[in-house]
Amino acid sequence: HVQLVESGGGSVQAGGSLTLSCTYSGLFAGRNDLGMAWFRQTPGNEREGVAAIAPNDKTAYADSVKGRFTISKDNAKTTLLLQLNSLKPADTAMYYCAADYGLQRPHLPASWYTVWGQGTQVTVS
């Protein structure tokens, strides 16, 4: 089964940048329909979809991050990336990578995904 491991979180000042990585493994041989996404969550709040990418590389973003965050995949390295620019204190959260098979479009709701990483913390001050 698919396993996800995030990295790249940290503390940064407002206006700064970070790059989050999610390394995935355990893909079923012959399947190329893995959809992936980044989510974030703060204590007491629901998990929020930040950016998603479909198997055909179509992307979707939450309004709050459009123009600042960029999601991409490096299939050769089996890595999902999230470039975070112009960071704001409101972006402070635990960021999670998620994935599932059979997603034809980039979906932001968490209910579309059944495989999750352990999260990486982003703190903007």
Side-chain angles (χ1 to χ4, degrees), residues 8-103:
S11 297
V12 64
Q13 291 189 337
S17 298
L18 282 174
T19 301
L20 304 184
S21 298
C22 173
T23 302
Y24 50 94
S25 61
L27 298 181
F28 285 109
R31 292 197 70 163
N32 59 358
D33 59 342
L34 189 72
M36 303 189 73
W38 285 97
F39 291 79
R40 64 187 181 187
Q41 189 172 26
T42 53
N45 293 307
E46 292 187 355
R47 202 162 288 191
E48 172 194 19
V50 173
I53 187 165
N56 60 5
D57 290 338
K58 287 188 177 179
T59 58
Y61 294 91
D63 288 344
S64 58
V65 307
K66 280 181 182 176
R68 300 188 300 121
F69 292 7
T70 303
I71 189 171
S72 62
K73 280 190 303 182
D74 183 338
N75 291 324
K77 297 180 180 179
T78 60
T79 300
L80 179 72
L81 301 171
L82 185 68
Q83 178 66 40
L84 296 74
N85 295 327
S86 303
L87 282 162
K88 306 174 182 180
D91 295 318
T92 295
M94 184 72 78
Y95 282 72
Y96 297 90
C97 173
D100 214 326
Y101 286 107
L103 302 183

